[in-house]
Coordinates of all heavy atoms in Angstrom, one line a residue:
D367 N -22.7 49.7 35.5 CA -22.8 49.6 37.0 C -21.8 48.6 37.6 O -21.4 48.7 38.7 CB -24.2 49.2 37.4 CG -24.4 49.2 38.9 OD1 -24.1 50.1 39.6 OD2 -25.0 48.2 39.3
V368 N -21.4 47.6 36.8 CA -20.5 46.6 37.2 C -19.2 47.2 37.7 O -18.6 46.8 38.7 CB -20.3 45.5 36.2 CG1 -19.7 46.1 34.9 CG2 -19.4 44.4 36.7
F369 N -18.7 48.3 37.0 CA -17.5 48.9 37.4 C -17.6 49.6 38.7 O -16.6 49.6 39.5 CB -17.0 49.9 36.3 CG -16.9 49.2 34.9 CD1 -17.5 49.8 33.8 CD2 -16.2 48.1 34.7 CE1 -17.4 49.2 32.6 CE2 -16.1 47.5 33.5 CZ -16.7 48.1 32.4
R370 N -18.7 50.2 38.9 CA -18.9 50.8 40.2 C -19.0 49.8 41.4 O -18.4 50.0 42.4 CB -20.3 51.6 40.2 CG -20.3 52.7 41.2 CD -21.2 53.9 40.8 NE -20.9 54.9 41.8 CZ -21.5 54.9 43.0 NH1 -22.4 54.0 43.3 NH2 -21.2 55.8 43.9
Q371 N -19.5 48.7 41.1 CA -19.6 47.6 42.1 C -18.2 47.0 42.4 O -17.8 46.7 43.5 CB -20.5 46.5 41.7 CG -22.0 47.0 41.4 CD -22.5 47.8 42.6 OE1 -22.3 47.5 43.8 NE2 -23.1 49.0 42.2
F372 N -17.4 46.9 41.3 CA -16.0 46.5 41.5 C -15.2 47.5 42.4 O -14.5 47.1 43.3 CB -15.3 46.3 40.1 CG -15.7 45.2 39.3 CD1 -15.4 45.2 37.9 CD2 -16.4 44.1 39.8 CE1 -15.8 44.1 37.1 CE2 -16.8 43.0 39.0 CZ -16.5 43.0 37.7
S373 N -15.4 48.7 42.1 CA -14.7 49.8 42.8 C -15.2 49.8 44.3 O -14.4 49.9 45.2 CB -15.0 51.1 42.2 OG -14.3 52.2 42.9
K374 N -16.5 49.6 44.5 CA -17.0 49.6 45.9 C -16.4 48.4 46.7 O -16.1 48.5 47.9 CB -18.5 49.5 45.9 CG -19.2 50.8 45.7 CD -20.7 50.6 45.9 CE -21.5 51.9 45.9 NZ -23.0 51.7 46.1
A375 N -16.4 47.2 46.1 CA -16.1 46.0 46.8 C -14.6 45.7 46.8 O -14.1 45.1 47.8 CB -16.8 44.8 46.1
N376 N -13.8 46.1 45.8 CA -12.5 45.6 45.7 C -11.4 46.6 45.6 O -10.2 46.3 45.6 CB -12.4 44.8 44.4 CG -13.4 43.6 44.3 OD1 -13.7 43.1 45.4 ND2 -13.9 43.3 43.1
A377 N -11.7 47.9 45.6 CA -10.7 48.9 45.4 C -9.8 49.1 46.7 O -10.3 49.1 47.8 CB -11.3 50.3 45.1
V378 N -8.5 49.2 46.5 CA -7.5 49.4 47.5 C -6.7 50.6 47.1 O -6.1 50.7 46.0 CB -6.5 48.2 47.7 CG1 -5.5 48.5 48.7 CG2 -7.3 46.9 48.0
V379 N -6.7 51.6 48.0 CA -5.9 52.8 47.7 C -4.5 52.5 47.9 O -4.1 51.6 48.7 CB -6.4 54.0 48.6 CG1 -7.8 54.4 48.3 CG2 -6.2 53.7 50.1
R380 N -3.6 53.2 47.2 CA -2.2 53.1 47.4 C -1.8 53.6 48.8 O -2.5 54.4 49.4 CB -1.5 53.7 46.3 CG -1.5 52.9 45.0 CD -1.4 53.6 43.7 NE -2.8 54.1 43.4 CZ -3.0 54.9 42.3 NH1 -2.1 55.2 41.5 NH2 -4.3 55.3 42.1
P381 N -0.7 53.1 49.4 CA -0.3 53.4 50.7 C -0.4 54.9 51.1 O 0.1 55.8 50.4 CB 1.1 52.9 50.9 CG 1.2 51.8 49.9 CD 0.3 52.2 48.7
V382 N -1.1 55.2 52.2 CA -1.3 56.6 52.6 C -0.2 57.0 53.5 O -0.2 57.1 54.7 CB -2.7 56.7 53.4 CG1 -3.0 58.1 53.7 CG2 -3.8 56.1 52.6
T383 N 0.9 57.3 52.8 CA 2.2 57.8 53.4 C 2.9 58.8 52.5 O 2.8 58.6 51.3 CB 3.1 56.6 53.7 OG1 4.4 57.1 54.1 CG2 3.3 55.7 52.5
P384 N 3.5 59.8 53.1 CA 4.3 60.7 52.2 C 5.3 60.0 51.4 O 5.8 60.6 50.4 CB 4.8 61.7 53.2 CG 3.9 61.6 54.4 CD 3.5 60.2 54.5
G385 N 5.8 58.9 51.8 CA 6.8 58.2 51.1 C 6.3 57.4 49.9 O 7.1 56.7 49.3
Y386 N 5.0 57.5 49.6 CA 4.5 56.7 48.5 C 5.2 56.8 47.2 O 5.5 55.9 46.5 CB 3.0 56.9 48.3 CG 2.5 56.1 47.1 CD1 2.4 54.7 47.2 CD2 2.3 56.7 45.9 CE1 2.1 54.0 46.1 CE2 2.0 56.0 44.8 CZ 1.9 54.6 44.9 OH 1.6 53.8 43.8
P387 N 5.5 58.1 46.7 CA 6.2 58.2 45.4 C 7.4 57.3 45.3 O 7.7 56.7 44.3 CB 6.5 59.7 45.3 CG 5.4 60.3 46.1 CD 5.2 59.4 47.3
F388 N 8.2 57.2 46.4 CA 9.4 56.4 46.4 C 9.0 54.9 46.3 O 9.6 54.1 45.6 CB 10.3 56.6 47.5 CG 11.6 55.9 47.5 CD1 12.7 56.4 46.8 CD2 11.8 54.6 48.0 CE1 13.9 55.7 46.7 CE2 12.9 53.9 47.9 CZ 14.0 54.5 47.2
I389 N 8.0 54.5 47.2 CA 7.5 53.2 47.2 C 7.1 52.8 45.8 O 7.3 51.7 45.3 CB 6.4 53.0 48.2 CG1 6.9 53.2 49.6 CG2 5.7 51.7 48.0 CD1 5.8 53.4 50.6
S390 N 6.4 53.7 45.1 CA 5.9 53.4 43.8 C 7.0 53.1 42.8 O 6.9 52.1 42.1 CB 5.1 54.7 43.3 OG 4.8 54.6 41.9
S391 N 8.0 53.9 42.8 CA 9.1 53.7 41.9 C 9.9 52.5 42.2 O 10.4 51.7 41.3 CB 10.1 55.0 41.9 OG 10.7 55.2 43.2
A392 N 10.1 52.2 43.5 CA 10.8 50.9 43.9 C 10.0 49.7 43.5 O 10.6 48.7 43.0 CB 11.0 50.9 45.4
F393 N 8.7 49.7 43.7 CA 7.9 48.6 43.3 C 7.9 48.4 41.8 O 8.0 47.3 41.2 CB 6.5 48.7 43.8 CG 5.6 47.6 43.4 CD1 5.6 46.4 44.1 CD2 4.7 47.7 42.3 CE1 4.8 45.3 43.7 CE2 3.9 46.6 42.0 CZ 3.9 45.4 42.7
A394 N 7.8 49.5 41.1 CA 7.8 49.5 39.6 C 9.1 48.9 39.1 O 9.1 48.0 38.2 CB 7.6 50.9 39.0
E395 N 10.2 49.3 39.7 CA 11.5 48.7 39.3 C 11.6 47.2 39.6 O 12.0 46.4 38.7 CB 12.6 49.4 40.0 CG 14.0 49.0 39.7 CD 15.1 49.7 40.4 OE1 14.8 50.7 41.1 OE2 16.3 49.3 40.2
A396 N 11.1 46.8 40.8 CA 11.2 45.4 41.1 C 10.3 44.6 40.2 O 10.6 43.5 39.8 CB 10.7 45.2 42.6
T397 N 9.1 45.1 39.9 CA 8.2 44.4 39.0 C 8.7 44.2 37.6 O 8.6 43.1 37.0 CB 6.8 45.1 39.0 OG1 6.3 45.3 40.3 CG2 5.8 44.2 38.2
Q398 N 9.4 45.2 37.1 CA 10.0 45.1 35.8 C 11.1 44.1 35.8 O 11.2 43.3 34.8 CB 10.6 46.5 35.4 CG 11.2 46.5 34.0 CD 10.1 46.1 32.9 OE1 9.2 46.9 32.7 NE2 10.2 45.0 32.3
Q399 N 11.8 44.0 36.9 CA 12.9 43.0 37.0 C 12.3 41.6 37.0 O 12.8 40.7 36.4 CB 13.7 43.2 38.2 CG 14.6 44.5 38.1 CD 15.3 44.8 39.4 OE1 15.1 44.1 40.5 NE2 16.1 45.9 39.4
L400 N 11.1 41.4 37.7 CA 10.5 40.1 37.7 C 10.0 39.7 36.3 O 10.2 38.6 35.9 CB 9.3 40.2 38.7 CG 9.5 40.3 40.2 CD1 8.2 40.5 40.9 CD2 10.3 39.1 40.7
L401 N 9.5 40.7 35.6 CA 9.1 40.4 34.2 C 10.2 40.0 33.4 O 10.1 39.2 32.4 CB 8.3 41.6 33.6 CG 7.0 42.0 34.2 CD1 6.5 43.3 33.7 CD2 5.9 40.9 33.9
D402 N 11.4 40.5 33.7 CA 12.6 40.2 32.9 C 13.3 39.0 33.4 O 14.4 38.6 32.9 CB 13.6 41.4 33.0 CG 13.1 42.6 32.3 OD1 12.2 42.5 31.4 OD2 13.5 43.8 32.6
G403 N 12.8 38.3 34.4 CA 13.3 37.0 34.9 C 14.2 37.0 36.1 O 14.9 36.0 36.4
A404 N 14.3 38.1 36.8 CA 15.2 38.2 38.0 C 14.7 37.3 39.1 O 13.5 36.9 39.1 CB 15.2 39.7 38.5
D405 N 15.6 36.9 40.0 CA 15.3 36.1 41.1 C 14.3 36.8 42.0 O 14.5 37.9 42.5 CB 16.6 35.8 41.9 CG 16.3 34.9 43.1 OD1 16.2 33.7 43.0 OD2 16.0 35.5 44.2
P406 N 13.1 36.2 42.2 CA 12.0 36.8 43.0 C 12.4 37.2 44.4 O 12.2 38.4 44.8 CB 10.9 35.8 42.9 CG 11.1 35.0 41.7 CD 12.6 34.9 41.6
Q407 N 13.0 36.3 45.2 CA 13.3 36.7 46.6 C 14.3 37.8 46.6 O 14.2 38.7 47.4 CB 13.8 35.5 47.3 CG 14.0 35.7 48.8 CD 12.7 35.9 49.5 OE1 11.9 34.9 49.7 NE2 12.4 37.1 50.0
K408 N 15.4 37.7 45.9 CA 16.4 38.8 45.9 C 15.8 40.1 45.4 O 16.2 41.2 46.0 CB 17.6 38.4 45.0 CG 18.4 37.2 45.5 CD 19.6 36.9 44.6 CE 20.4 35.8 45.1 NZ 21.5 35.4 44.2
T409 N 15.0 40.1 44.5 CA 14.4 41.3 43.9 C 13.5 42.0 45.0 O 13.5 43.2 45.2 CB 13.5 41.0 42.7 OG1 14.4 40.4 41.7 CG2 12.9 42.2 42.1
L410 N 12.6 41.2 45.7 CA 11.8 41.7 46.7 C 12.6 42.2 47.9 O 12.3 43.3 48.5 CB 10.8 40.7 47.1 CG 9.8 40.2 46.0 CD1 8.8 39.1 46.6 CD2 9.0 41.4 45.5
D411 N 13.6 41.5 48.3 CA 14.4 41.9 49.4 C 15.1 43.2 49.1 O 15.2 44.1 50.0 CB 15.5 40.8 49.7 CG 14.9 39.6 50.4 OD1 13.8 39.7 50.9 OD2 15.6 38.6 50.4
Q412 N 15.5 43.4 47.9 CA 16.2 44.7 47.6 C 15.2 45.8 47.6 O 15.5 47.0 48.1 CB 16.9 44.6 46.2 CG 17.6 45.9 45.8 CD 18.8 46.2 46.8 OE1 19.6 45.3 47.1 NE2 18.8 47.4 47.3

Side-chain angles (χ1 to χ4, degrees):
D367 183 50
V368 62
F369 304 128
R370 203 154 187 279
Q371 301 312 313
F372 290 162
S373 185
K374 279 186 172 183
N376 304 326
V378 178
V379 297
R380 280 149 281 180
V382 185
T383 171
Y386 175 73
F388 186 89
I389 294 170
S390 170
S391 62
F393 179 79
E395 180 178 357
T397 305
Q398 183 61 67
Q399 290 173 359
L400 291 173
L401 291 171
D402 291 339
D405 179 84
Q407 188 68 70
K408 290 181 179 178
T409 300
L410 296 180
D411 286 342
Q412 185 61 53

